[in-house]
Amino acid sequence: MRFKHLHELNTICTAESKTIAQLMIEEQVQETNTPEADVVQQMSEYYQVMKEAVRKGLMEDTTSRSGLTGGDGKKMAEYIRKGETCSGDASALAMAYALCVSEVNASMGRIVATPTAGSCGIIPGVFISSQERFGWTDEHLVNGLFCAGAIGYVIANNSFISGAEGGCQAEVGSAIGMAAGAMVELRGGTPEQVVHAVGLALKNTLGLICDPVAGLVEIPCIVRNGLGAVTALAAADMALAGVRSAIPSDEVIDVMLEVGSAMPSRHRETAQGGLAQTPTGRKMMQKLAKPKAKRAEPDTETQGSNTTDANTTVSEADTDSQG
Amino acid sequence: MRFKDVFSIIGPSMTGPSSSHTAGAARLGRIARQWLGCTPDRARLTLYGSFADTYQGHGTDLALIGGLLDYVTDDPRIPDAEQYAEEAGMEVEFYTSGLPAPHPNTVKIELWHGERACSLIGASIGGGSVSVHAMNDFRVQISGEFPTLVLRHADKAGVLASVTSTISSSGVNIGYMQVDRKARDGEALTAMEMDGVPNPDMLKRLRSLDHVLDIRVIDLKRGVDSDAL
């Protein structure tokens, strides 16, 4: 790839009069030696999966396997139909769709990791609600996904995108930054405005801990996807209005690395802190506790001539158990 | 760069709820199945770290079983994988272990089919990406991102030279290669990540080489059981 930082995305695209999406497609073709039509086709298929997830969230039962969550996307959609929303219909619809996709994820339905499964609602929420509002073609939105991908590529390689590594700022925060920047490009903003949108969005998610109740991708993940979609729209609006990120966006990504690395492990997807360890969070976890699988026995069996039970990383005297 | 391209950020298309616990687990199961070369009769899976702690809530067990049935990450049958395993005559046992593992999301997979058996240790490293650390007790380091040839062969001088020259004459570039052996002059295993897809003619020529015991193709994009090649 010809870029590792956001400022390089801006410099190259401005100098060559390209959108970030065009640059990302060219770089992907070069890097993977795959024809452009195939690269675009792959992304186009992903966009159809996102649309299907929104539809499923609105029409079908999204109760999760744990029974803790489901149906909130539908509730939001119904609420919008009934009348005046507080945050405006555009925001509310993005939120409803983001909740839908996140609920489909929690119920083991099909989604696209953007960049992860825990943050899979934000980009579809923003993209699909905006497509309906502005009457955009699928092709336009597929370009938007390449722009979002370029932003995510920079964040992932300079900081992180998983909650286990960097807290929820890395997961939901990255998705918000990607959606905000892509939204600016979809609305015709400049690459420079895209970069500012990413910085504006990321600054507002720094310090967000990953504290899933019972370790499940449900509470608070689903509502954070809903609210994240609205933050992305707001950051895009600020950037399109000319608001700049006073701290350059690449420096914000570096801070995300610093903050995430400093977070104690109990606040990084372990379910050992935050909302997961509130009295109610603990009760939910206890209620869901199931009989575990058998503990691993000492490896004394001799099954099959080609099998070796011992290995280089896990000891043979395997008598410990968490069961 | 840890993340190589746009589809490591947007994608994979997958069955929820967790890219590490579900998509990565399905891919590890599928790699193990391709290593065996067919649907196993029996599978024994031992989970470590976060996999052991939270696999039931995340459906990690179902995703692993789905992978063993050769399902891709977004196969709609994954939530009902236990039932499909039963229909396929596959017996599955899960174990958990508190022992330290190379990564918080690690699984050891042991498979049997008739006389055939194999084992694999792998980890789900985030966003659906995986890393396989051991195959049949040999050290490897494969990602499943590229078509991968795994050769069991005798530890003899010249075997690798004839293997690589056979591959190069087929016009396929080797991106990464790792060799490990049990003992001097004992059994060895070579894993090669390739830029292109191994073709049947290349596999036939490799199989006919002296001291080559067995070849398996790991290819998550195509997912062909080696027996069919």
Side-chain angles (χ1 to χ4, degrees), chain A residues 28 65 105 108-111 113 157 165 215 292 296 301 307 309 311 318 322, chain B residues 2-3 5 11 14-17 44 52-53 56 58 74 97 108 110 117:
Chain A
Q28 180 73 14
R65 283 175 13 108
N105 177 59
M108 286 197 88
R110 188 159 76 139
I111 53 91
N157 283 313
E165 285 183 318
K292 286 246 179 174
E301 295 171 277
T307 308
D309 287 331
N311 57 67
D318 191 354
Q322 308 207 331
Chain B
R2 287 204 299 160
F3 295 85
D5 77 333
M14 57 168 284
T15 297
R44 176 182 149 127
D53 287 339
Q56 284 160 322
H58 285 110
D74 65 353
S97 171
K108 177 178 176 183
E110 296 161 282

PDB file of all heavy atoms in Angstrom, chain A residues 28 65 105 108-111 113 157 165 215 292 296 301 307 309 311 318 322, chain B residues 2-3 5 11 14-17 44 52-53 56 58 74 97 108 110 117:
ATOM      1  N   GLN A  28      -5.563  -2.035  -3.659  1.00  0.00           N
ATOM      2  CA  GLN A  28      -5.991  -3.419  -3.414  1.00  0.00           C
ATOM      3  C   GLN A  28      -5.674  -4.299  -4.626  1.00  0.00           C
ATOM      4  O   GLN A  28      -5.212  -5.433  -4.486  1.00  0.00           O
ATOM      5  CB  GLN A  28      -7.497  -3.447  -3.101  1.00  0.00           C
ATOM      6  CG  GLN A  28      -8.061  -4.832  -2.828  1.00  0.00           C
ATOM      7  CD  GLN A  28      -7.660  -5.394  -1.477  1.00  0.00           C
ATOM      8  OE1 GLN A  28      -7.165  -4.664  -0.612  1.00  0.00           O
ATOM      9  NE2 GLN A  28      -7.828  -6.685  -1.276  1.00  0.00           N
ATOM     10  N   ARG A  65     -29.068 -15.792  21.586  1.00  0.00           N
ATOM     11  CA  ARG A  65     -29.037 -17.131  22.174  1.00  0.00           C
ATOM     12  C   ARG A  65     -29.127 -17.083  23.688  1.00  0.00           C
ATOM     13  O   ARG A  65     -29.664 -17.970  24.330  1.00  0.00           O
ATOM     14  CB  ARG A  65     -27.774 -17.882  21.731  1.00  0.00           C
ATOM     15  CG  ARG A  65     -27.914 -18.395  20.310  1.00  0.00           C
ATOM     16  CD  ARG A  65     -26.678 -19.060  19.721  1.00  0.00           C
ATOM     17  NE  ARG A  65     -25.614 -19.410  20.612  1.00  0.00           N
ATOM     18  CZ  ARG A  65     -25.303 -20.650  20.972  1.00  0.00           C
ATOM     19  NH1 ARG A  65     -26.002 -21.659  20.538  1.00  0.00           N
ATOM     20  NH2 ARG A  65     -24.271 -20.867  21.745  1.00  0.00           N
ATOM     21  N   ASN A 105     -26.314  -9.919  14.609  1.00  0.00           N
ATOM     22  CA  ASN A 105     -25.020 -10.488  15.001  1.00  0.00           C
ATOM     23  C   ASN A 105     -25.149 -11.291  16.293  1.00  0.00           C
ATOM     24  O   ASN A 105     -24.706 -12.437  16.373  1.00  0.00           O
ATOM     25  CB  ASN A 105     -24.005  -9.356  15.171  1.00  0.00           C
ATOM     26  CG  ASN A 105     -22.658  -9.863  15.636  1.00  0.00           C
ATOM     27  OD1 ASN A 105     -22.033 -10.680  14.966  1.00  0.00           O
ATOM     28  ND2 ASN A 105     -22.217  -9.402  16.788  1.00  0.00           N
ATOM     29  N   MET A 108     -26.605 -14.754  16.124  1.00  0.00           N
ATOM     30  CA  MET A 108     -25.878 -15.661  15.229  1.00  0.00           C
ATOM     31  C   MET A 108     -26.388 -15.614  13.795  1.00  0.00           C
ATOM     32  O   MET A 108     -26.344 -16.595  13.070  1.00  0.00           O
ATOM     33  CB  MET A 108     -25.869 -17.108  15.747  1.00  0.00           C
ATOM     34  CG  MET A 108     -24.934 -17.309  16.916  1.00  0.00           C
ATOM     35  SD  MET A 108     -24.528 -19.056  17.229  1.00  0.00           S
ATOM     36  CE  MET A 108     -23.122 -19.309  16.173  1.00  0.00           C
ATOM     37  N   GLY A 109     -26.875 -14.434  13.382  1.00  0.00           N
ATOM     38  CA  GLY A 109     -27.235 -14.241  11.975  1.00  0.00           C
ATOM     39  C   GLY A 109     -26.012 -13.790  11.196  1.00  0.00           C
ATOM     40  O   GLY A 109     -24.929 -13.622  11.750  1.00  0.00           O
ATOM     41  N   ARG A 110     -26.230 -13.571   9.883  1.00  0.00           N
ATOM     42  CA  ARG A 110     -25.092 -13.248   9.014  1.00  0.00           C
ATOM     43  C   ARG A 110     -24.851 -11.739   8.952  1.00  0.00           C
ATOM     44  O   ARG A 110     -25.773 -10.966   8.705  1.00  0.00           O
ATOM     45  CB  ARG A 110     -25.350 -13.789   7.609  1.00  0.00           C
ATOM     46  CG  ARG A 110     -24.147 -13.656   6.702  1.00  0.00           C
ATOM     47  CD  ARG A 110     -24.251 -14.615   5.545  1.00  0.00           C
ATOM     48  NE  ARG A 110     -25.215 -14.129   4.576  1.00  0.00           N
ATOM     49  CZ  ARG A 110     -25.020 -14.205   3.252  1.00  0.00           C
ATOM     50  NH1 ARG A 110     -23.926 -14.731   2.761  1.00  0.00           N
ATOM     51  NH2 ARG A 110     -25.944 -13.765   2.426  1.00  0.00           N
ATOM     52  N   ILE A 111     -23.612 -11.328   9.190  1.00  0.00           N
ATOM     53  CA  ILE A 111     -23.212  -9.922   9.140  1.00  0.00           C
ATOM     54  C   ILE A 111     -21.832  -9.836   8.485  1.00  0.00           C
ATOM     55  O   ILE A 111     -21.220 -10.856   8.194  1.00  0.00           O
ATOM     56  CB  ILE A 111     -23.163  -9.283  10.550  1.00  0.00           C
ATOM     57  CG1 ILE A 111     -22.283 -10.117  11.503  1.00  0.00           C
ATOM     58  CG2 ILE A 111     -24.562  -9.165  11.150  1.00  0.00           C
ATOM     59  CD1 ILE A 111     -20.870  -9.784  11.590  1.00  0.00           C
ATOM     60  N   ALA A 113     -18.071  -8.241   9.290  1.00  0.00           N
ATOM     61  CA  ALA A 113     -17.232  -7.622  10.316  1.00  0.00           C
ATOM     62  C   ALA A 113     -16.712  -6.286   9.764  1.00  0.00           C
ATOM     63  O   ALA A 113     -16.034  -6.267   8.755  1.00  0.00           O
ATOM     64  CB  ALA A 113     -16.079  -8.541  10.679  1.00  0.00           C
ATOM     65  N   ASN A 157      -3.386  -0.561  11.494  1.00  0.00           N
ATOM     66  CA  ASN A 157      -1.938  -0.751  11.419  1.00  0.00           C
ATOM     67  C   ASN A 157      -1.143   0.241  12.258  1.00  0.00           C
ATOM     68  O   ASN A 157       0.061   0.064  12.451  1.00  0.00           O
ATOM     69  CB  ASN A 157      -1.482  -0.727   9.957  1.00  0.00           C
ATOM     70  CG  ASN A 157      -1.807  -2.040   9.256  1.00  0.00           C
ATOM     71  OD1 ASN A 157      -1.542  -3.118   9.783  1.00  0.00           O
ATOM     72  ND2 ASN A 157      -2.427  -1.949   8.095  1.00  0.00           N
ATOM     73  N   GLU A 165      -7.724  -5.928  22.492  1.00  0.00           N
ATOM     74  CA  GLU A 165      -6.423  -5.263  22.480  1.00  0.00           C
ATOM     75  C   GLU A 165      -6.512  -3.832  23.022  1.00  0.00           C
ATOM     76  O   GLU A 165      -5.652  -3.410  23.786  1.00  0.00           O
ATOM     77  CB  GLU A 165      -5.872  -5.218  21.044  1.00  0.00           C
ATOM     78  CG  GLU A 165      -5.354  -6.542  20.562  1.00  0.00           C
ATOM     79  CD  GLU A 165      -4.751  -6.449  19.163  1.00  0.00           C
ATOM     80  OE1 GLU A 165      -5.333  -5.779  18.293  1.00  0.00           O
ATOM     81  OE2 GLU A 165      -3.689  -7.040  18.958  1.00  0.00           O
ATOM     82  N   GLY A 215     -19.418 -11.526  29.080  1.00  0.00           N
ATOM     83  CA  GLY A 215     -18.489 -11.792  27.979  1.00  0.00           C
ATOM     84  C   GLY A 215     -19.178 -11.875  26.625  1.00  0.00           C
ATOM     85  O   GLY A 215     -18.546 -12.229  25.631  1.00  0.00           O
ATOM     86  N   LYS A 292     -20.131 -26.713  32.013  1.00  0.00           N
ATOM     87  CA  LYS A 292     -19.031 -26.608  31.037  1.00  0.00           C
ATOM     88  C   LYS A 292     -18.678 -27.980  30.466  1.00  0.00           C
ATOM     89  O   LYS A 292     -19.091 -29.006  30.984  1.00  0.00           O
ATOM     90  CB  LYS A 292     -17.805 -26.031  31.742  1.00  0.00           C
ATOM     91  CG  LYS A 292     -17.951 -24.552  32.015  1.00  0.00           C
ATOM     92  CD  LYS A 292     -16.942 -23.801  31.199  1.00  0.00           C
ATOM     93  CE  LYS A 292     -17.084 -22.303  31.426  1.00  0.00           C
ATOM     94  NZ  LYS A 292     -16.038 -21.578  30.757  1.00  0.00           N
ATOM     95  N   ALA A 296     -10.014 -31.234  30.491  1.00  0.00           N
ATOM     96  CA  ALA A 296      -9.069 -31.973  29.666  1.00  0.00           C
ATOM     97  C   ALA A 296      -8.392 -33.039  30.508  1.00  0.00           C
ATOM     98  O   ALA A 296      -7.942 -32.778  31.609  1.00  0.00           O
ATOM     99  CB  ALA A 296      -8.040 -31.013  29.100  1.00  0.00           C
ATOM    100  N   GLU A 301      -4.261 -41.306  25.981  1.00  0.00           N
ATOM    101  CA  GLU A 301      -4.836 -42.146  24.934  1.00  0.00           C
ATOM    102  C   GLU A 301      -3.873 -42.273  23.765  1.00  0.00           C
ATOM    103  O   GLU A 301      -3.093 -41.380  23.491  1.00  0.00           O
ATOM    104  CB  GLU A 301      -6.125 -41.504  24.423  1.00  0.00           C
ATOM    105  CG  GLU A 301      -7.211 -41.445  25.469  1.00  0.00           C
ATOM    106  CD  GLU A 301      -8.361 -40.605  24.958  1.00  0.00           C
ATOM    107  OE1 GLU A 301      -8.262 -39.375  25.075  1.00  0.00           O
ATOM    108  OE2 GLU A 301      -9.319 -41.166  24.433  1.00  0.00           O
ATOM    109  N   THR A 307      -1.465 -39.648  14.962  1.00  0.00           N
ATOM    110  CA  THR A 307      -1.774 -38.598  15.921  1.00  0.00           C
ATOM    111  C   THR A 307      -0.725 -38.515  17.005  1.00  0.00           C
ATOM    112  O   THR A 307      -0.212 -39.511  17.468  1.00  0.00           O
ATOM    113  CB  THR A 307      -3.122 -38.877  16.601  1.00  0.00           C
ATOM    114  OG1 THR A 307      -4.051 -39.104  15.580  1.00  0.00           O
ATOM    115  CG2 THR A 307      -3.548 -37.712  17.441  1.00  0.00           C
ATOM    116  N   ASP A 309      -0.522 -36.667  20.635  1.00  0.00           N
ATOM    117  CA  ASP A 309      -1.302 -35.886  21.585  1.00  0.00           C
ATOM    118  C   ASP A 309      -0.502 -34.752  22.197  1.00  0.00           C
ATOM    119  O   ASP A 309      -1.022 -33.707  22.516  1.00  0.00           O
ATOM    120  CB  ASP A 309      -1.846 -36.786  22.698  1.00  0.00           C
ATOM    121  CG  ASP A 309      -2.987 -37.655  22.155  1.00  0.00           C
ATOM    122  OD1 ASP A 309      -3.653 -37.191  21.227  1.00  0.00           O
ATOM    123  OD2 ASP A 309      -3.160 -38.755  22.653  1.00  0.00           O
ATOM    124  N   ASN A 311       2.278 -31.745  22.241  1.00  0.00           N
ATOM    125  CA  ASN A 311       2.589 -30.721  21.248  1.00  0.00           C
ATOM    126  C   ASN A 311       3.590 -29.747  21.831  1.00  0.00           C
ATOM    127  O   ASN A 311       3.972 -29.832  22.973  1.00  0.00           O
ATOM    128  CB  ASN A 311       1.317 -30.006  20.829  1.00  0.00           C
ATOM    129  CG  ASN A 311       0.614 -29.402  22.017  1.00  0.00           C
ATOM    130  OD1 ASN A 311       1.131 -28.477  22.615  1.00  0.00           O
ATOM    131  ND2 ASN A 311      -0.515 -29.968  22.397  1.00  0.00           N
ATOM    132  N   ASP A 318      -1.828 -32.502  31.240  1.00  0.00           N
ATOM    133  CA  ASP A 318      -2.874 -31.486  31.127  1.00  0.00           C
ATOM    134  C   ASP A 318      -4.023 -31.812  32.064  1.00  0.00           C
ATOM    135  O   ASP A 318      -5.057 -32.294  31.650  1.00  0.00           O
ATOM    136  CB  ASP A 318      -3.331 -31.474  29.670  1.00  0.00           C
ATOM    137  CG  ASP A 318      -4.213 -30.284  29.395  1.00  0.00           C
ATOM    138  OD1 ASP A 318      -4.548 -29.568  30.359  1.00  0.00           O
ATOM    139  OD2 ASP A 318      -4.562 -30.088  28.235  1.00  0.00           O
ATOM    140  N   GLN A 322     -10.943 -25.703  33.952  1.00  0.00           N
ATOM    141  CA  GLN A 322     -11.759 -24.553  34.313  1.00  0.00           C
ATOM    142  C   GLN A 322     -13.209 -24.988  34.422  1.00  0.00           C
ATOM    143  O   GLN A 322     -14.096 -24.165  34.537  1.00  0.00           O
ATOM    144  CB  GLN A 322     -11.635 -23.480  33.238  1.00  0.00           C
ATOM    145  CG  GLN A 322     -10.195 -23.147  32.942  1.00  0.00           C
ATOM    146  CD  GLN A 322     -10.037 -21.739  32.430  1.00  0.00           C
ATOM    147  OE1 GLN A 322     -10.924 -21.190  31.824  1.00  0.00           O
ATOM    148  NE2 GLN A 322      -8.901 -21.146  32.696  1.00  0.00           N
TER     149      GLN A 322
ATOM    150  N   ARG B   2       0.264  -5.517  10.164  1.00  0.00           N
ATOM    151  CA  ARG B   2      -0.517  -6.626  10.697  1.00  0.00           C
ATOM    152  C   ARG B   2      -1.723  -6.909   9.799  1.00  0.00           C
ATOM    153  O   ARG B   2      -2.132  -8.040   9.625  1.00  0.00           O
ATOM    154  CB  ARG B   2      -1.043  -6.275  12.084  1.00  0.00           C
ATOM    155  CG  ARG B   2       0.020  -6.285  13.168  1.00  0.00           C
ATOM    156  CD  ARG B   2      -0.608  -6.510  14.525  1.00  0.00           C
ATOM    157  NE  ARG B   2      -1.569  -5.462  14.880  1.00  0.00           N
ATOM    158  CZ  ARG B   2      -2.507  -5.607  15.806  1.00  0.00           C
ATOM    159  NH1 ARG B   2      -2.625  -6.745  16.450  1.00  0.00           N
ATOM    160  NH2 ARG B   2      -3.332  -4.623  16.093  1.00  0.00           N
ATOM    161  N   PHE B   3      -2.304  -5.837   9.269  1.00  0.00           N
ATOM    162  CA  PHE B   3      -3.482  -5.994   8.412  1.00  0.00           C
ATOM    163  C   PHE B   3      -3.073  -5.646   6.991  1.00  0.00           C
ATOM    164  O   PHE B   3      -2.562  -4.567   6.729  1.00  0.00           O
ATOM    165  CB  PHE B   3      -4.623  -5.107   8.925  1.00  0.00           C
ATOM    166  CG  PHE B   3      -5.105  -5.531  10.276  1.00  0.00           C
ATOM    167  CD1 PHE B   3      -4.470  -5.079  11.434  1.00  0.00           C
ATOM    168  CD2 PHE B   3      -6.154  -6.418  10.411  1.00  0.00           C
ATOM    169  CE1 PHE B   3      -4.891  -5.500  12.693  1.00  0.00           C
ATOM    170  CE2 PHE B   3      -6.577  -6.843  11.659  1.00  0.00           C
ATOM    171  CZ  PHE B   3      -5.945  -6.382  12.808  1.00  0.00           C
ATOM    172  N   ASP B   5      -4.754  -5.902   3.806  1.00  0.00           N
ATOM    173  CA  ASP B   5      -5.542  -5.355   2.699  1.00  0.00           C
ATOM    174  C   ASP B   5      -6.914  -4.898   3.175  1.00  0.00           C
ATOM    175  O   ASP B   5      -7.249  -5.026   4.355  1.00  0.00           O
ATOM    176  CB  ASP B   5      -5.653  -6.386   1.570  1.00  0.00           C
ATOM    177  CG  ASP B   5      -6.659  -7.477   1.897  1.00  0.00           C
ATOM    178  OD1 ASP B   5      -6.876  -7.752   3.085  1.00  0.00           O
ATOM    179  OD2 ASP B   5      -7.239  -8.034   0.957  1.00  0.00           O
ATOM    180  N   GLY B  11     -14.987  -7.071   6.283  1.00  0.00           N
ATOM    181  CA  GLY B  11     -15.112  -8.507   6.106  1.00  0.00           C
ATOM    182  C   GLY B  11     -14.413  -9.236   7.244  1.00  0.00           C
ATOM    183  O   GLY B  11     -13.744  -8.603   8.053  1.00  0.00           O
ATOM    184  N   MET B  14     -19.873 -13.112   7.874  1.00  0.00           N
ATOM    185  CA  MET B  14     -19.784 -14.162   8.891  1.00  0.00           C
ATOM    186  C   MET B  14     -21.074 -14.299   9.679  1.00  0.00           C
ATOM    187  O   MET B  14     -21.916 -13.406   9.684  1.00  0.00           O
ATOM    188  CB  MET B  14     -18.645 -13.836   9.857  1.00  0.00           C
ATOM    189  CG  MET B  14     -18.816 -12.469  10.521  1.00  0.00           C
ATOM    190  SD  MET B  14     -17.690 -12.192  11.892  1.00  0.00           S
ATOM    191  CE  MET B  14     -18.462 -13.208  13.159  1.00  0.00           C
ATOM    192  N   THR B  15     -21.213 -15.415  10.365  1.00  0.00           N
ATOM    193  CA  THR B  15     -22.286 -15.619  11.315  1.00  0.00           C
ATOM    194  C   THR B  15     -21.839 -15.082  12.659  1.00  0.00           C
ATOM    195  O   THR B  15     -20.749 -15.418  13.103  1.00  0.00           O
ATOM    196  CB  THR B  15     -22.573 -17.128  11.431  1.00  0.00           C
ATOM    197  OG1 THR B  15     -23.009 -17.580  10.157  1.00  0.00           O
ATOM    198  CG2 THR B  15     -23.643 -17.414  12.435  1.00  0.00           C
ATOM    199  N   GLY B  16     -22.625 -14.204  13.293  1.00  0.00           N
ATOM    200  CA  GLY B  16     -22.226 -13.594  14.556  1.00  0.00           C
ATOM    201  C   GLY B  16     -22.058 -14.635  15.648  1.00  0.00           C
ATOM    202  O   GLY B  16     -22.255 -15.812  15.413  1.00  0.00           O
ATOM    203  N   PRO B  17     -21.659 -14.184  16.868  1.00  0.00           N
ATOM    204  CA  PRO B  17     -21.590 -12.793  17.295  1.00  0.00           C
ATOM    205  C   PRO B  17     -20.176 -12.213  17.421  1.00  0.00           C
ATOM    206  O   PRO B  17     -20.071 -11.039  17.725  1.00  0.00           O
ATOM    207  CB  PRO B  17     -22.213 -12.869  18.696  1.00  0.00           C
ATOM    208  CG  PRO B  17     -21.756 -14.196  19.219  1.00  0.00           C
ATOM    209  CD  PRO B  17     -21.701 -15.109  18.012  1.00  0.00           C
ATOM    210  N   ARG B  44     -12.099 -34.330  18.715  1.00  0.00           N
ATOM    211  CA  ARG B  44     -11.908 -33.981  20.126  1.00  0.00           C
ATOM    212  C   ARG B  44     -11.310 -32.588  20.140  1.00  0.00           C
ATOM    213  O   ARG B  44     -10.236 -32.360  19.581  1.00  0.00           O
ATOM    214  CB  ARG B  44     -10.970 -35.000  20.754  1.00  0.00           C
ATOM    215  CG  ARG B  44     -10.597 -34.733  22.192  1.00  0.00           C
ATOM    216  CD  ARG B  44      -9.604 -35.814  22.642  1.00  0.00           C
ATOM    217  NE  ARG B  44      -8.710 -35.259  23.635  1.00  0.00           N
ATOM    218  CZ  ARG B  44      -8.494 -35.795  24.829  1.00  0.00           C
ATOM    219  NH1 ARG B  44      -9.069 -36.922  25.154  1.00  0.00           N
ATOM    220  NH2 ARG B  44      -7.675 -35.211  25.663  1.00  0.00           N
ATOM    221  N   ALA B  52     -11.961 -21.103  26.269  1.00  0.00           N
ATOM    222  CA  ALA B  52     -12.475 -22.015  27.300  1.00  0.00           C
ATOM    223  C   ALA B  52     -13.494 -21.306  28.188  1.00  0.00           C
ATOM    224  O   ALA B  52     -14.498 -21.889  28.596  1.00  0.00           O
ATOM    225  CB  ALA B  52     -11.322 -22.558  28.138  1.00  0.00           C
ATOM    226  N   ASP B  53     -13.250 -20.010  28.463  1.00  0.00           N
ATOM    227  CA  ASP B  53     -14.119 -19.262  29.379  1.00  0.00           C
ATOM    228  C   ASP B  53     -15.486 -18.948  28.776  1.00  0.00           C
ATOM    229  O   ASP B  53     -16.490 -18.983  29.478  1.00  0.00           O
ATOM    230  CB  ASP B  53     -13.452 -17.938  29.773  1.00  0.00           C
ATOM    231  CG  ASP B  53     -12.294 -18.155  30.730  1.00  0.00           C
ATOM    232  OD1 ASP B  53     -12.267 -19.215  31.379  1.00  0.00           O
ATOM    233  OD2 ASP B  53     -11.430 -17.266  30.816  1.00  0.00           O
ATOM    234  N   GLN B  56     -19.373 -20.999  25.008  1.00  0.00           N
ATOM    235  CA  GLN B  56     -20.783 -21.350  24.825  1.00  0.00           C
ATOM    236  C   GLN B  56     -21.620 -20.134  24.437  1.00  0.00           C
ATOM    237  O   GLN B  56     -22.422 -20.196  23.510  1.00  0.00           O
ATOM    238  CB  GLN B  56     -21.340 -22.013  26.080  1.00  0.00           C
ATOM    239  CG  GLN B  56     -20.863 -23.459  26.198  1.00  0.00           C
ATOM    240  CD  GLN B  56     -20.973 -23.991  27.607  1.00  0.00           C
ATOM    241  OE1 GLN B  56     -20.723 -23.265  28.564  1.00  0.00           O
ATOM    242  NE2 GLN B  56     -21.323 -25.261  27.733  1.00  0.00           N
ATOM    243  N   HIS B  58     -20.654 -17.485  22.939  1.00  0.00           N
ATOM    244  CA  HIS B  58     -20.280 -16.979  21.617  1.00  0.00           C
ATOM    245  C   HIS B  58     -20.566 -17.965  20.490  1.00  0.00           C
ATOM    246  O   HIS B  58     -20.330 -17.648  19.331  1.00  0.00           O
ATOM    247  CB  HIS B  58     -18.787 -16.650  21.586  1.00  0.00           C
ATOM    248  CG  HIS B  58     -18.438 -15.390  22.321  1.00  0.00           C
ATOM    249  ND1 HIS B  58     -17.748 -15.382  23.495  1.00  0.00           N
ATOM    250  CD2 HIS B  58     -18.694 -14.105  22.028  1.00  0.00           C
ATOM    251  CE1 HIS B  58     -17.595 -14.134  23.899  1.00  0.00           C
ATOM    252  NE2 HIS B  58     -18.164 -13.345  23.033  1.00  0.00           N
ATOM    253  N   ASP B  74     -19.729 -17.584   6.918  1.00  0.00           N
ATOM    254  CA  ASP B  74     -21.109 -17.067   6.958  1.00  0.00           C
ATOM    255  C   ASP B  74     -22.147 -18.128   6.588  1.00  0.00           C
ATOM    256  O   ASP B  74     -23.254 -17.800   6.188  1.00  0.00           O
ATOM    257  CB  ASP B  74     -21.256 -15.832   6.068  1.00  0.00           C
ATOM    258  CG  ASP B  74     -21.044 -16.138   4.592  1.00  0.00           C
ATOM    259  OD1 ASP B  74     -20.653 -17.274   4.266  1.00  0.00           O
ATOM    260  OD2 ASP B  74     -21.264 -15.228   3.780  1.00  0.00           O
ATOM    261  N   SER B  97      -9.298 -26.426  29.121  1.00  0.00           N
ATOM    262  CA  SER B  97      -8.064 -26.563  29.870  1.00  0.00           C
ATOM    263  C   SER B  97      -7.640 -25.206  30.400  1.00  0.00           C
ATOM    264  O   SER B  97      -7.830 -24.186  29.734  1.00  0.00           O
ATOM    265  CB  SER B  97      -6.961 -27.121  28.967  1.00  0.00           C
ATOM    266  OG  SER B  97      -5.725 -27.042  29.652  1.00  0.00           O
ATOM    267  N   LYS B 108      -7.079 -26.808  20.484  1.00  0.00           N
ATOM    268  CA  LYS B 108      -6.373 -27.973  19.960  1.00  0.00           C
ATOM    269  C   LYS B 108      -7.430 -28.891  19.357  1.00  0.00           C
ATOM    270  O   LYS B 108      -8.423 -29.220  20.016  1.00  0.00           O
ATOM    271  CB  LYS B 108      -5.640 -28.681  21.101  1.00  0.00           C
ATOM    272  CG  LYS B 108      -4.921 -29.949  20.697  1.00  0.00           C
ATOM    273  CD  LYS B 108      -4.203 -30.498  21.929  1.00  0.00           C
ATOM    274  CE  LYS B 108      -3.531 -31.816  21.632  1.00  0.00           C
ATOM    275  NZ  LYS B 108      -2.906 -32.348  22.871  1.00  0.00           N
ATOM    276  N   GLU B 110      -8.247 -32.501  17.471  1.00  0.00           N
ATOM    277  CA  GLU B 110      -7.774 -33.836  17.090  1.00  0.00           C
ATOM    278  C   GLU B 110      -8.898 -34.528  16.326  1.00  0.00           C
ATOM    279  O   GLU B 110     -10.042 -34.526  16.784  1.00  0.00           O
ATOM    280  CB  GLU B 110      -7.418 -34.640  18.341  1.00  0.00           C
ATOM    281  CG  GLU B 110      -6.250 -34.036  19.107  1.00  0.00           C
ATOM    282  CD  GLU B 110      -6.196 -34.537  20.538  1.00  0.00           C
ATOM    283  OE1 GLU B 110      -6.987 -34.049  21.364  1.00  0.00           O
ATOM    284  OE2 GLU B 110      -5.391 -35.426  20.804  1.00  0.00           O
ATOM    285  N   ALA B 117      -5.719 -40.107  11.120  1.00  0.00           N
ATOM    286  CA  ALA B 117      -5.858 -39.206  12.264  1.00  0.00           C
ATOM    287  C   ALA B 117      -4.951 -37.999  12.064  1.00  0.00           C
ATOM    288  O   ALA B 117      -3.951 -38.070  11.340  1.00  0.00           O
ATOM    289  CB  ALA B 117      -5.479 -39.920  13.554  1.00  0.00           C
TER     290      ALA B 117
END
